[in-house]
Amino acid sequence: MKLLGVNKMLFGGDYNPEQWPEEVWDEDMKLFEEAHVDVVTLDVSSWAALQPSDDVYNFEKLDRIMKMVTDHGLKVVMATPTAAEPAWMAKKYPETLKTEAGGTRRHFGGRQNMCPNSPILRKFYAAMAGKLAQRYKDYDNLVAWHVSNEYCGYCYCDTCTKKFREWLKVRYKSLDAVNKAWNTSFWGHTYYDFDEIVLPDLLSEEFHFGGEEWQVKSNFQGMSIDYRRFMSESFLECFDIEKAAIKKYMPDTPVTTNFMGGFEQFDYKEWAKHVDFVAWDNYPKFGSPESDTSFWHDLMRGIGGGESFSLIEQTPGVSNWHPYCALKRPGVMRLWSYQAVAHGADTVMFFQMRRSIGACEKSHSALIDHAGTDETRVFREMKELGAELVKLGDATLGAVAKAKAAIVFDFENWWATELSAGPSVDLNYLDEIHTWYKGFSDLHIPVDIIGTADDMSQYKVVLAPMLYMSEEGFASKLEAFVKAGGNFVTSYFSGIADRNDRIYLGGYPAPWRDILGIWVEESDALVPGSSNSFVYEGKRHECSIVCDLMHLEGAKALAVYESDFYKGMPVVTGNKSGDGEAYYVGTRSDRKFYVDFLGEICAKNGITKLADAPDCVEVTERSNEKGSFVFALNNSDEEQKVVLPYAVRDLLSDKTHDSTVEITIGAKDVLIGKKI
Amino acid sequence: MKLLGVNKMLFGGDYNPEQWPEEVWDEDMKLFEEAHVDVVTLDVSSWAALQPSDDVYNFEKLDRIMKMVTDHGLKVVMATPTAAEPAWMAKKYPETLKTEAGGTRRHFGGRQNMCPNSPILRKFYAAMAGKLAQRYKDYDNLVAWHVSNEYCGYCYCDTCTKKFREWLKVRYKSLDAVNKAWNTSFWGHTYYDFDEIVLPDLLSEEFHFGGEEWQVKSNFQGMSIDYRRFMSESFLECFDIEKAAIKKYMPDTPVTTNFMGGFEQFDYKEWAKHVDFVAWDNYPKFGSPESDTSFWHDLMRGIGGGESFSLIEQTPGVSNWHPYCALKRPGVMRLWSYQAVAHGADTVMFFQMRRSIGACEKSHSALIDHAGTDETRVFREMKELGAELVKLGDATLGAVAKAKAAIVFDFENWWATELSAGPSVDLNYLDEIHTWYKGFSDLHIPVDIIGTADDMSQYKVVLAPMLYMSEEGFASKLEAFVKAGGNFVTSYFSGIADRNDRIYLGGYPAPWRDILGIWVEESDALVPGSSNSFVYEGKRHECSIVCDLMHLEGAKALAVYESDFYKGMPVVTGNKSGDGEAYYVGTRSDRKFYVDFLGEICAKNGITKLADAPDCVEVTERSNEKGSFVFALNNSDEEQKVVLPYAVRDLLSDKTHDSTVEITIGAKDVLIGKKI
Amino acid sequence: MKLLGVNKMLFGGDYNPEQWPEEVWDEDMKLFEEAHVDVVTLDVSSWAALQPSDDVYNFEKLDRIMKMVTDHGLKVVMATPTAAEPAWMAKKYPETLKTEAGGTRRHFGGRQNMCPNSPILRKFYAAMAGKLAQRYKDYDNLVAWHVSNEYCGYCYCDTCTKKFREWLKVRYKSLDAVNKAWNTSFWGHTYYDFDEIVLPDLLSEEFHFGGEEWQVKSNFQGMSIDYRRFMSESFLECFDIEKAAIKKYMPDTPVTTNFMGGFEQFDYKEWAKHVDFVAWDNYPKFGSPESDTSFWHDLMRGIGGGESFSLIEQTPGVSNWHPYCALKRPGVMRLWSYQAVAHGADTVMFFQMRRSIGACEKSHSALIDHAGTDETRVFREMKELGAELVKLGDATLGAVAKAKAAIVFDFENWWATELSAGPSVDLNYLDEIHTWYKGFSDLHIPVDIIGTADDMSQYKVVLAPMLYMSEEGFASKLEAFVKAGGNFVTSYFSGIADRNDRIYLGGYPAPWRDILGIWVEESDALVPGSSNSFVYEGKRHECSIVCDLMHLEGAKALAVYESDFYKGMPVVTGNKSGDGEAYYVGTRSDRKFYVDFLGEICAKNGITKLADAPDCVEVTERSNEKGSFVFALNNSDEEQKVVLPYAVRDLLSDKTHDSTVEITIGAKDVLIGKKI
C-alpha cells in the first residue's frame, strides 16, 4: 500500500468528536499529541448528522473537525458514514431495511441493517460519497478513503429475490443451465421459469441442522453457494458505487473498506481486487491461538497480492462483545501490533480514540478512557508504542514477505463445506486450514495464502487442505505444478466437487486421482469417543474428524491405520510424478504430525526455517529496498532464546546481534532485526 | 403382504434414472444384474418433470424407463411423485405451501412442504395418481404402489384452521362437548363459537418448555392432542385420495406408503388400516441399540395385524444426516437386513440405487457410488446379500411370528406424555417402551406390539408401560384379561387420563386401582444427582426418573424403596385377581431388573426363550406353511455360541445343527435355521 | 396490611368451583372446614364465563358461589378475572392480542396474552371490575381485592409504539433530550421526529447475545431501559384502572395484585406505591437456597414500606413447571409457610384448593388432590398447619421487623446490568445481591431491602452491591450518610452510569470516588478456569466473575490480589469519612468472605445477631404491640441447637425457653418464640 505523504507507520484510529461536546476536542488534541497519534479515521457514524433529509446536507461540524485535525498535523482516513442508515430514511423508505433469513423485514436499528440491492440506498450512497469527496478533496492530509464500515449481513427481501434471478440469467444464460448446476431434478425441483426461483432461506431450502442455529445447511447447496456469490457481489457493488463517486473528485487517493477476520459471508479474495489496498479489523476470537491471527494477517496480505496492508482497527485494551472480556495483559497490545507489522501491515490503527459515553460499545476500550486522562495503563502503553513507531520511521514501509510455501484458502469452499449434511459435524474448513498453518508457524517457515487461480510456480510447496470444491481446470494446473517439481499436499474431503457443488464422478477425488495416485473409497466419521492412529516416521499420531479409506493407485503409503476394519489401509500417501510429489493425508492428526510432516517436505525441498526458536516465538521476515527485517515475537510469559541465521541490528533497542549467538527476548517482547 | 408374481424377497430400492443422462442407464442395468437386484422403486421425485403445468403431462421419459426396467426383468414399485410440489405450482398457488407453528407461511423448497388440506393439491394428487395408474396398469411387473414419500410436518394455515373447526363439529357435535373435553373453563378459555377456535401453535397454546425447541408443551393438552389427531387424519386423507385414484385402474395391486421409524406425528396404527401392506424406512437413530430397531420392526408388524411387511428403505452404507456419519461396518448392512427379515420383512430394499451427483443426499450411500463401479465394498456386500436372497427364495415369505407376550404401544399416548409440563423432563414414553422391550429381547422371548383396542386374549403377558392415557373401556378389558389368567404389567405415570387428557378422578391410577390393588398418592421426580433403590429377588436395582409413592390396596409389595422419606413404601407390586396377576413398577429401573422381573413372570407362565444365547445375539422365530425358521443375529464383534431347542438346517450355509449342540455364529453373522 | 374483620393469619387460597360440577362443592366445603381453611381467592379465571359478549354479563353462578362460601364462614379475596381475555374478545378485537419481540402478533391462548395499552381492553377492565364491586360490595367477608393475576409480558405492537412516543414526549419534553439520553449520535441514530422511533425489539436494537435466547442485549441501553419503564407503567395503569373502578363502590376495601418472586419485567418498587398492601406468589426457583426465598420476602416487605404483607400463593406440594418436580418433603410446606411469616407475612395462602382435572396445571398440587379425599399427605400437613394457625391467632398480625442494616435493590439496575455486552456473561445482579444477602442470613442479622430513594438514616450499614446505575443525587446522599456515621458497602460494577445508562465520566466509579477513596481503572473478567485470591483478616478467599484493578485515593487496602499482573493491587478497601466508612469489594468472593467481612462491620457498629445458631437455621424477629417474636427455622434434615438472647415462650409448643439454654429444634421444625 502507498499513502501519499506518509513516511512512517500511521498510528491512531477511529475518532468520533461529533459524539462529544466541542470543549472535549482540545483535550483530545493534547492527548493525541502526547501519545504520538498521527492519523484519525473520521466520520464512520455520522450519516444522520450530515444528511437530515433527502436533499439537505450539513457539513459544518465536519468542516470544523477537519480543520482542527489538520491544524494539529494529523493525517485523515475519511470514512463514508453509510454503514448505518439514518432513522428518517428507514421510516420514509422501509423497503431499504434488511429482511432476515426467516422472512421478517427488520425495523430501524443497529448498523448494516440495509438491503444491499436497494436502488434508493445506492443513490444515497453515491450522493454522500461524492459530496464528501468534492468537499474535502483539497486536503493533502486526507490520505485514504474508508467506505462504509464492516459490511455484513445477507438480505432476503423481494428486491434481492428479483435481482438474484437477473444475476442467474447473466451467469447461466438459460434455465436449463441453472437446473443442471443445482441438480434440481433431485426432489423434482425443476424450474420452468426464472420467476419460480425464491431465495434459499430458512423458509425454503435452508435449515438449522440438528436444530442448532449455528449450523445452516441447504437442500440445494449449489443454489445456496450461488446466493452467497450473489450477495458478496451485491455488497461489493455498493462499495464500487461509492468508490466511483469518490474517484470522480479524488482519482489518486486510495479507497478501501475494512475487512474482518474470521468473516465468512463475502469472498474477500474477489473484494480485494476492488479496493486500492487491503485494510482489516483484527479482533481475535476469544481464546484463539496467536497463529490464527497470523493466518488472517497472511490471508489479508495474500488477497492483496502480497502487498503490505493496513491494520485499521484493533482494540487498545478490551473488546466488549466477548463472553469474558479479559484485559489485554501488559505488553500484549504492543506485541499484537507488531505481529501485524511482522506479517505485512504498514499501519497500526485502533478502534477507538475516545471511549463512548453510552450505547453498545461503551465498554470497549480506547486510547482515552472514560477517566479522560493520560494516567491509564492503556494510554501509557499506547504512548510508548507511538514513540517506538516514530523511531522506526519508514524502515519497514512497503516491505514484502517472500515465501516458498503456500496454502490455498478459498472462501467459496468455506461455504460449501458447511452447507452439506455429512460426513461429520466436526468437519470445519477454517480449523483444518489453521491446523496446517500452525505447522508452518511452529517450524518458523513463512507461508503465503493464495487462491486456486493464483500462480503456483513460485512455490516449492503448495497445500490445499480440505479443498472440497475446485474448478474444472484446477486438476491440470496441479499436475503441471507437480510435474515441474512442485510438492502438493492435500487432505481428506478434497477434490470432491466442482464449483456448483456437483460431485466429480469416477471415485474421489476424481480429478486428482492421477496426480495423487490414490482412490478414496469411503470416509468414516469418528464418533465422539472413537479414535484411530498411525505411525509416521517412527512416531505415533492420532486421527480425528474422519478417516478416509483409500487405495493406492501408484502412490506410496507413508503411514497406515493401526486399528478398526481398515487397519493397514493407507492414511498418508505420497505420489511422485515428474519432478515433484503429491501428498494426501486422509484424516486430521495432532499438532506434532504437521510439524514433522511439513518439516520433512520442506527439508527435502530446501525450504529453511527463519530462525532457531521455540514454538512460542513467532518469526517472520519482510524486505524492501531498504533491507531485510526479521521479526521475532515472544508470545510466552517467560523470556526465550532465539538464534538467527544472520547478524541483525534491533531497530527498537539499537543493539546488534551476531548470527551465531542466542538472542534473549523478554516475555511478550519483540525483536525487529534489520539484517546487517 | 402378498405381491403378485413375487416368489422371493425383493431386493433393490429407490432408482431415479430421470436424474441422470440416459447413457448411464445401461451401466445401471448391468450393475443391477450383477448385484441380483430385482426390484426398483420408481418416480419418487419427478412430479415437476411429469407435470410441467396445470394441464400438461409428460410421461415419455417414464415410459422409456418402465420399458427398460421391464425388459431387464425388474419388478417395479411405482411411486406417486407427490411428496415434492413443483416450483411452478408453489408459485401459482402459494396457499398450498405449509405454514409453520410460529405462523409463517413457508416458501417453495424441500419436500413435504405442503398444506395437507389444500383443495387444489388434493385435486392434483388424484389427477397424477390416476394418470399414472391408467398409463402403467398393464405392466405385470408393477407389483405395488408407493404413494408419496415419508409424509410429515404439521401445517398451521388458515385452511387447516377452518377444517379443524369442521372436524371438531363432527367429533364433538356441540361446542359444550369441546369445552368440556378440553376443560376450557380453566383460565376461562370457554368458546362461544366454533370460529373462535384457533390452532394450538406457538402463538396460541403451545410453547417451548424451558426455552428448549425440542420440548413443545401445551396449555390445553386435550386441544393439542385433537389437533394431532386431525393432522394425522388430514394427511391420511391425502393418501386415501391417491389410493382411490389408483384403485380405479388397478384394483388388485397393493397400495402403500413408506412409514418412518421413531416418527411421532401420525398415528400409524390408524394409518395401517388404510394401506394394503405396511412398508417402512429403517434409518436407526445415531448410536441407538439394535433392540430399538427391533422394536420398530415389531411395531410395523403389529400395526399391520401381524402380517409380514416391507423393509422399503435403508441405507447401503451411510446416511448423511447424522451428526457423525460413521460407516456401516462390514457385515452390518447384511446383518440389519436380516434383522428386518427376522422380525417379519418380506423385502430388503434400499435408498438408493445410484448416489446422486448433487443436492442434499449426495453424501448418502448407494449401491452404485459416485465411483460408478462394482469395486466398492458396499457394492460387494450388496451383491453377496443379493445372491443369498436368491438362494433363500420363497422360504420365509409370508411367515409370521407367534408371541405369547405383548407390549401396548399407543401413538396418542406418546403425544400426551410430551405435551404436559411435569413431573420430569426425563419422562420419555419411547424410552420407557424401549426399556421394557429390551428386557424381552435380552431374554430371547418374542413379543408383539399391540394397541389398547386389540384382542389380548391370545397373550399370557401384556405390558402397558407408562400408559398415561387410555379410553373408558380399557380398565374393564384389563380386568377381564387378568381374571381370565392374563398377566398385566404397567409402570409409573399410567392409567392417569382419559383420551382427552382429562384426569380420571379418584386417586391414581383411578380406573386400574382395583385390578392393580394399589393407590399411587404422589410421584417424586428424581432430580439429577439424586437416586433411590430397591431389592427385588435378592438383587439391588436402581430407581430413576420418578418414584411413585403408593399404598397397597390388596396388592403385595414385591419390592420397597430403600431410602428417602418413603423408604419402605412399595415400588414393585403384584395383585392376584381371578386366574391372573397385575403388576406395577413405580419407577424406571436398570436393565438387569427388567430381565429378572419379566423373566420370572414368563417362567411362571410357561413362556420359554427361543434359544440359549448371550444378550448380544438376537433370536426370533417366524413360521409359514413351509415351516418354522429361527433367526439368530450376532450383533457383537466376536463369535458367539447359541443352543437352539430344536434341530435346524441353516438356509444360508446348508449345514444342519442338532438341538443339543452349541452353534457358533461369527461376528456380525447370521443363522437362519429351518426347523427339521 | 390490615384486612377488615380479620384477626388471624388467613389460611386458604385459589378456589375455582366454577370449573367443577356443583355436586363437588359440598365436598369442598366439608374438606375446607376439616383443614381449617378460612379464606378463598375467587374468580381468577372466569372472565369468559362472566361476560359472554360485549354487553352481556352473567353473575349468577358467582352469586351462588359467594353465597356458599359466605354461608360457610369463609373470607373472600375477590379477584378480577382479567388475566385471561375471553376467546370471543380476541376474535372480535385481534388488536388486543400481544405482539412478540420478534414482531409477530400472537393468537388467542394462554393468559396475560394482551396488549397493555389497548383502549378496548382498558374499557373492558374497568367495566368488569366495577360491575363486580358494585354487585358484591355488601359482603362483609370480602376482605380484599386481587386485580388480574401475575401481570407479565412486554408487548411490541403498533399501539404500544405510538404510546411509547407519547410517553417519551412527556418524559423528555424534546427530541434533543431523547437523543442525548440515549446517546444516539453513536452509530448516527439521531432522530429528527418522534415518529422515527420504533420499539427496541429483536428486529431493531436488541439481540440474543451469543445466540442465547436468555441473553437479550441492546445496542442502545438507555432506550431499552426507557421501554421497560414504559411497559412497567403501562401495565400499572391497567391495574390502576381496575382499582379505581373498584374503589368507586368499595372505597375502604384494600386492593392489590399478586407479585412474583424473581420477576424482572416490572419495577415492583413503583408498583408497591399503588397497591393497598403487597401480596406475592412464592414459587422458589428449582434448587435455589432458602435464603433466596428469604430475600424475596424481605424485598416484598421492603417495597411495602416495611409493613406486613400477604403470601397469597404457594404450592401445597409440587409445582408442575419445574424441570424436575420433586415433592416438597414432609414438613417443608409448613416450614416455608412459617418462613414467610418470619419475614413479615400475615397470610398463608396457596394455589390451589382443588387440583384441576385438565389443562396446564393439572399436575400442580392442591389441598384437595385428584383423589378427592382428606387421606393424602398433603391434606394432612395442610390440616395440621391450619390448626396451628388457629392456635397462633392474631399474635403476630401486623408485626414488623427492625433492621439496622439494609441492602439496596433496584429493578432498573437489574435491567441495566443485563442489557450491555461486557465485561462478563457471568455478571448477574440478582446473584450478587443474593450473595451479600446470604452473608447477613448466615450471621442471623436482619436486613431491610430498600431503594436508592429511601431514607438511609435509620441504618448503620447500607449495602449497594453492583449498583451500576444510580441517579445524580445519590452520591451526595451517600456522602451525607457516611459522614454522619453510616457504613456503606459496594462492589465491582457500581457507580458507573446514570439513570439513562450514560457513563459518569472521570474514572470509575466517578460520583463515588471521593467517598470510596479509590479509582477503578480497569476490570478484568475471569475466564472459565482462571482465578485469583486475596487474604482478608488472615484467611484466604477466592475471586470470581471480575477483578477490579483499582488505585487508592485515600482509602485503605483491606486486602490485595495474590496473583496475576495486578498482584498487590487492592481488592477490598475501606475509606473513613466523617464518622463513617465506605467499603469497596472489587470482585465476587466466596461465602465465607461475606460472613467474615459483614460480621466485622456489624460488630464494629454494634449490630448483633438474633441468636447463636448454625447456618442452616434461619432466625428472624418481628414485633407488634403484643410483643416481640423470634422465628427460628431449621432448614436441615437433622435437629439443631439454638441459643436466644432472651427467654421465650414457644407459641406452637407452649414451652418456655430460658435465654441461656440451648433450644433443640427438630429437622424442618420451627420455633416461634414470644419474648417473655
Side-chain angles (χ1 to χ4, degrees), chain A residues 336-361:
Chain A
W336 290 4
S337 296
Y338 283 126
Q339 184 188 32
V341 176
H343 286 270
D346 273 358
T347 72
V348 176
M349 293 170 68
F350 295 83
F351 179 86
Q352 52 191 342
M353 294 297 96
R354 186 180 272 277
R355 195 165 178 168
S356 55
I357 197 170
C360 88
E361 289 175 335

Side-chain angles (χ1 to χ4, degrees), chain B residues 183 188-189 192 195-196 201-205 219 221 420-426 468 501 503 506 508 521-522 524 564, chain C residues 19 45 48 84 88 91 106-110 320-321 323-327 329-330 357-360 362 370-371 376-377:
Chain B
N183 197 36
H189 278 208
Y192 288 101
D195 286 352
E196 288 162 23
D201 59 20
L202 295 172
L203 299 174
S204 61
E205 300 294 9
N219 293 325
Q221 301 91 5
S420 294
S424 169
V425 291
D426 291 344
Y468 168 79
D501 204 353
I503 305 296
Y508 318 122
E521 183 186 340
E522 298 181 274
D524 189 32
D564 218 322
Chain C
Q19 296 176 17
S45 293
W88 67 261
K91 176 169 185 294
R106 294 186 53 80
H107 299 167
F108 171 71
N320 68 312
W321 58 77
Y324 301 94
C325 302
L327 298 173
R329 269 42 204 164
I357 196 170
C360 89
K362 66 184 189 289
H370 289 138
T376 64
R377 177 177 71 92

